[in-house]
Amino acid sequence: MKIRHYLTIIAFALTVGAHADNLLGVEPVTLETPELEAELNALPASVMNLNAADKKWKPDFDFFKQKTNPGVKAYKFMDDLTFVGIPLFAAGWAIKGDKAMFRVNQKAEQGGKSNTQLLTDFKTGIDDYTQFFGPAMVVGLKLGGYEGRSDWPRLLASAGMSYAIMAGFVNGIKYTAKEMRPDGSTANSWPSGHTATAFVGATLLHKEYGLTRSPWFSVAGYGVATATGVMRVLNNRHWISDVMSGAGIGIMSTELGYAFCDLMFKERGLLRNDLLLDNEKPSFFSISMGVGLGGKDLKFESDGEEIGLKFRAATVVDAEGAYFFNKYVGVGGRFRVRAQSTKDFGDFANFVAGEDFYAWYGLKPHYQNAFPQDFNSSDPVDNNLNYLDRVGFKMNSESEWNANAPVTDSYGIVKSDHITEFTGSVGLYFNLPLGKHFALGTKALIGRSITQELDIDGHAEGNMKDISYTMSLDNRQGHKDAFGDPTLSLNDLQYPTNTGEKWSDDWEYLTIGAKSSTSFGTGLSLTYKYKSNFSWRIFCDYDYTRKDFTATYDPFHFVEKGMTSGASLLMDMALSTSTDEFADGKGIDAREYHSRKHMNYWTLGLSFMVNL
C-alpha cells in the first residue's frame, strides 16, 4: 500500500511539471468588460410600469396627501379625449321617437292622464346596484394599495367633476324633454340616469386601471354598465333611446371631468403611465354595437291568406376576438345578438289594441236582429265605455258591465316585442396595415343562428254565458249549398244569459319564431389604433341565412272558458262561416302560418377593441 502511494505522488508531480513547461512564454490573459447601456424600451410594458410601491402592497388611506411618482408623463388638456360619447348620445336622440310596442292604459285615460305602457313580466332591482360597480371597484382597489392613474386628491377631484357634469346634463335634459317612461309613472325618461351613472363609473375604472394596469378592467366596467342599461329597458323603466343617450353622457362627462382636472393638476398626483404594448400582431378582443339593415318585412301565407309584420332597423351587439399568426392572417370567432322590434303588430294587433277582438263579434248580427232594443245605436257611448259598444251590449254603468258582460277585461302582456337572433361564428380574419395607426380588415365566417320568439300572452275574464238555440239540417234536393252539402240553419236564438259563474283565461296569444339555421358572414372594417392597447373600428358586415319562420296566432282561445259547451260550439260554427279574414273557415282554433325566407343582413357599427 505504501509503495502505491509513493508511485501516485511521483506521477502527479511529473504531470504538473509537464504542464508548467507548456505554459512558459505565454502572455497573461486579460478580461475586457463591455460598456453597458440602459435600454428601457427593450423591457416589456408590465416591467416598465412597475415601481417601488408594487413590490409590497399596503392599504392607502392618504386621502388628502398628494403623491407624484417620478417619470410619469403629465397629461395636457383634452390630451386623452376620444369623443365616443357624442355619437352614442346623438344615436339615442335620433331614435327617441321610435318606441317599442305599447298600449294605452284604459283606466288612466278615463282619469284624464295619458299613460303609455309597455307591459312585460320582467322585474329586477339589480340595476339599482350595478350602476355603482365602477366606482366601487376603483375605491376598493385604491384602498387596498393597488395604485392606478391618480393619487387620492386627483382621483376624487376627477370623479367629483365627472359626476357633477353628468348630473347637470342628465337633469337638465330630463326636465326639459319631459319624455314619458314606458311604465307611465313619470315624464322624465330621456336620458337614463342609471345608465349615465353606470358609464361614468365604467369610464373611471377604464382610465384609472384599464389604461394603466390591464385592459380587462375596462372590459369588466363597460360590460356591467351595458348590462345595467339593458336591465333598465327590461324593467320597463326606460326606452332603448334613453339608455343609448345615457351611456353617451356618462362617457362624455367623465372624459371632460378628467380633461379639466388634467388642466388644473398638470403633473401633480400622477402615479402611473399608460400601458405600452410592443406587439405587431393585430390580435384583439372587441365589444361592438351597430345598426342592422335589411330583412324588415316578414310575411306569412296560408290557404291563400297573406298576413305579415313590419320591423324597425335591428340593434346589433357583438363580442368578437381573433388571434393573428402574423400581421396579416389569423383565426377567431364572433358572438352576435341581433334584435328587431316590431313597428306594430299589424293584422295581429286587434286583441292588444282592444278593438273588435271579442269572439262575440261574429254573433253580433244575430243578436241585433233578434233583440234590436238591447243594442246601442251610437258610438261612442257615454261614461268613457265606448269600447263596450263594439260588442253591441247596452250598459249604463261600469258596475253593470262588470256584472253582465261576457268579457269584462282583456289585455295583452308583451313578453317580447322583437325577434332576436343569437349567432355564434368562427373563421379566418385578414388584416392589411395602412401605417402605424390604421389598418383595413375583412373576414370569412360560418356559424349557427338560433332565434328567440316574439311572444305576446293574452288575458281575459268575464261572466260565464249560456245561449239557447235550435238548429235544423235541410238535406232536401235543391236546398244544398254550393258544395253539395246540406244547409244548416240557426233557429230560436236566445239572448245569452249569465250562468252565475266568473271565468278567466291566460294563454299564448301570438308567438313568432324560427328554426335554427346555418349562417355565413363577411365584412370590411377600418381600424384606428389610438393607444398601444386600445383601438376603435368602423365596420360594415354582411350575413346570410335561410330561416323557416312559424307564427301561431290564437285570438279566440278564451271562448271555451267564457261559454258553456253548447254556446262555444255555436261560436265555433259562427266563426267558421264568418267573412272575417282571420276567422274564415278556422273557427276558434289557433291559426298557424309558415314562411321560408332568405335573410340578407347588413350591419353598420363601431367597435371598442382591446389589443392583445
Side-chain angles (χ1 to χ4, degrees):
M1 291 294 292
K2 291 182 179 180
I3 295 173
R4 279 193 301 176
H5 289 166
Y6 287 129
L7 292 176
T8 301
I9 293 171
I10 292 170
F12 178 76
L14 291 174
T15 303
V16 172
H19 280 282
D21 290 339
N22 292 335
L23 294 174
L24 290 176
V26 177
E27 295 293 331
V29 178
T30 59
L31 296 176
E32 294 183 2
T33 304
E35 294 183 4
L36 297 177
E37 295 181 1
E39 296 183 0
L40 293 179
N41 291 334
L43 298 175
S46 59
V47 176
M48 291 173 59
N49 287 279
L50 290 175
N51 52 50
D54 295 322
K55 296 179 181 178
K56 185 178 180 181
W57 283 12
K58 60 179 181 179
D60 183 0
F61 298 103
D62 295 330
F63 301 111
F64 306 104
K65 182 179 179 181
Q66 193 164 68
K67 296 181 291 185
T68 304
N69 286 337
V72 181
K73 175 188 172 183
Y75 292 90
K76 298 178 182 178
F77 180 60
M78 298 182 66
D79 189 30
D80 208 30
L81 285 173
T82 66
F83 299 101
V84 68
I86 295 176
L88 273 174
F89 174 82
W93 177 80
I95 65 173
K96 188 166 68 72
D98 193 20
K99 305 305 181 190
M101 181 65 186
F102 66 90
R103 78 176 181 93
V104 176
N105 184 297
Q106 300 267 358
K107 295 181 180 179
E109 282 290 318
Q110 293 171 12
K113 175 185 175 183
S114 179
N115 183 14
T116 302
Q117 291 194 343
L118 173 65
L119 300 178
T120 63
D121 60 355
F122 180 89
K123 200 65 173 177
T124 181
I126 299 176
D127 50 341
D128 290 331
Y129 304 99
T130 55
Q131 63 176 320
F132 302 115
F133 173 80
M137 283 290 294
V138 171
V139 171
L141 291 168
K142 189 72 174 167
L143 288 174
Y146 194 62
E147 282 188 343
R149 180 187 197 260
S150 313
D151 66 356
W152 276 113
R154 185 167 184 146
L155 170 62
L156 294 174
S158 300
M161 184 80 72
S162 301
Y163 280 107
I165 294 173
M166 180 272 295
F169 274 125
V170 168
N171 290 300
I173 298 172
K174 269 182 179 289
Y175 297 102
T176 301
K178 296 182 179 180
E179 184 80 8
M180 183 63 69
R181 292 181 183 270
D183 63 2
S185 57
T186 54
N188 60 346
S189 186
W190 182 71
S192 168
H194 276 66
T195 307
T197 301
F199 274 86
V200 167
T203 310
L204 286 174
L205 185 59
H206 166 67
K207 286 186 171 291
E208 289 295 327
Y209 291 98
L211 290 174
T212 64
R213 287 288 190 171
S214 169
W216 298 108
F217 284 112
S218 303
V219 173
Y222 284 119
V224 174
T226 301
T228 301
V230 171
M231 285 186 284
R232 296 303 288 168
V233 176
L234 294 177
N235 271 335
N236 201 25
R237 294 292 291 165
H238 282 289
W239 307 103
I240 187 64
S241 57
D242 308 339
V243 167
M244 293 183 68
S245 293
I249 289 176
I251 296 173
M252 183 168 54
S253 298
T254 310
E255 293 195 336
L256 288 174
Y258 269 79
F260 286 126
C261 286
D262 289 340
L263 180 65
M264 293 187 297
F265 283 85
K266 295 184 171 50
E267 74 283 353
R268 299 188 307 276
L270 291 174
L271 304 180
R272 296 182 66 87
N273 284 317
D274 288 348
L275 288 170
L276 298 176
L277 299 182
D278 187 17
N279 189 356
E280 293 184 350
K281 297 178 183 179
S283 302
F284 71 90
F285 173 81
S286 70
I287 298 174
S288 311
M289 177 172 285
V291 177
L293 307 174
K296 289 189 176 182
D297 296 326
L298 183 58
K299 293 183 179 179
F300 297 93
E301 186 173 348
S302 177
D303 299 330
E305 177 187 348
E306 186 176 281
I307 57 176
L309 296 174
K310 291 186 184 236
F311 292 86
R312 298 181 178 87
T315 299
V316 182
V317 179
D318 296 340
E320 190 170 15
Y323 172 78
F324 277 76
F325 306 109
N326 50 46
K327 291 182 180 180
Y328 308 103
V329 181
V331 294
R334 180 189 70 192
F335 178 72
R336 168 163 287 178
V337 180
R338 189 179 192 276
Q340 271 189 290
S341 62
T342 56
K343 286 186 177 179
D344 58 63
F345 289 120
D347 299 324
F348 301 108
N350 290 336
F351 184 90
V352 177
E355 296 183 5
D356 300 336
F357 60 85
Y358 298 102
W360 298 91
Y361 187 77
L363 292 179
K364 180 177 177 180
H366 301 291
Y367 296 150
Q368 282 186 311
N369 291 334
F371 301 95
Q373 70 279 5
D374 290 332
F375 289 81
N376 293 305
S377 58
S378 62
D379 188 15
V381 297
D382 295 333
N383 59 52
N384 291 315
L385 296 177
N386 58 312
Y387 66 98
L388 308 183
D389 184 58
R390 293 190 177 100
V391 284
F393 295 97
K394 182 185 291 184
M395 300 291 173
N396 297 316
S397 67
E398 186 172 359
S399 61
E400 186 179 354
W401 169 261
N402 290 332
N404 294 282
V407 181
T408 57
D409 192 18
S410 60
Y411 53 82
I413 301 174
V414 181
K415 298 227 173 154
S416 172
D417 70 333
H418 52 271
I419 291 179
T420 304
E421 293 183 34
F422 301 90
T423 306
S425 305
V426 295
L428 295 174
Y429 285 75
F430 304 95
N431 182 71
L432 178 62
L434 299 180
K436 184 178 180 181
H437 294 286
F438 290 93
L440 283 175
T442 187
K443 57 198 170 188
L445 303 177
I446 184 171
R448 198 70 178 166
S449 174
I450 300 174
T451 303
Q452 183 187 48
E453 295 179 333
L454 179 150
D455 184 14
I456 308 175
D457 284 359
H459 173 85
E461 58 188 63
N463 298 285
M464 179 75 75
K465 293 290 183 178
D466 189 19
I467 303 176
S468 297
Y469 61 93
T470 59
M471 303 189 73
S472 60
L473 185 67
D474 193 345
N475 195 28
R476 293 176 297 169
Q477 189 69 25
H479 290 264
K480 297 183 179 180
D481 60 19
F483 299 98
D485 296 325
T487 58
L488 189 64
S489 302
L490 181 66
N491 305 319
D492 192 27
L493 177 67
Q494 300 297 315
Y495 189 86
T497 58
N498 281 357
T499 65
E501 299 179 19
K502 299 287 184 179
W503 65 271
S504 66
D505 193 16
D506 295 279
W507 75 101
E508 291 187 351
Y509 172 78
L510 173 66
T511 58
I512 299 177
K515 296 179 180 178
S516 61
S517 60
T518 301
S519 174
F520 303 91
T522 185
L524 186 66
S525 63
L526 176 65
T527 301
Y528 169 62
K529 191 174 184 178
Y530 82 100
K531 294 278 187 181
S532 67
N533 57 335
F534 290 103
S535 301
W536 290 104
R537 170 175 288 174
I538 299 173
F539 65 88
C540 177
D541 284 353
Y542 168 75
D543 295 280
Y544 166 81
T545 186
R546 188 184 72 179
K547 288 286 187 184
D548 291 321
F549 289 95
T550 300
T552 303
Y553 175 52
D554 194 2
F556 304 123
H557 185 278
F558 64 94
V559 171
E560 289 190 39
K561 286 286 189 77
M563 298 182 179
T564 60
S565 58
S568 63
L569 177 62
L570 176 63
M571 186 70 253
D572 190 21
M573 289 188 295
L575 290 174
S576 297
T577 57
S578 171
T579 58
D580 179 78
E581 60 177 315
F582 288 109
D584 190 16
K586 298 182 178 65
I588 62 176
D589 295 331
R591 288 88 169 118
E592 190 170 282
Y593 306 91
H594 299 276
S595 175
R596 172 170 288 185
K597 189 168 183 180
H598 297 275
M599 310 300 289
N600 298 283
Y601 297 136
W602 293 91
T603 304
L604 299 175
L606 180 69
S607 299
F608 175 73
M609 301 175 58
V610 175
N611 306 119
L612 305 175

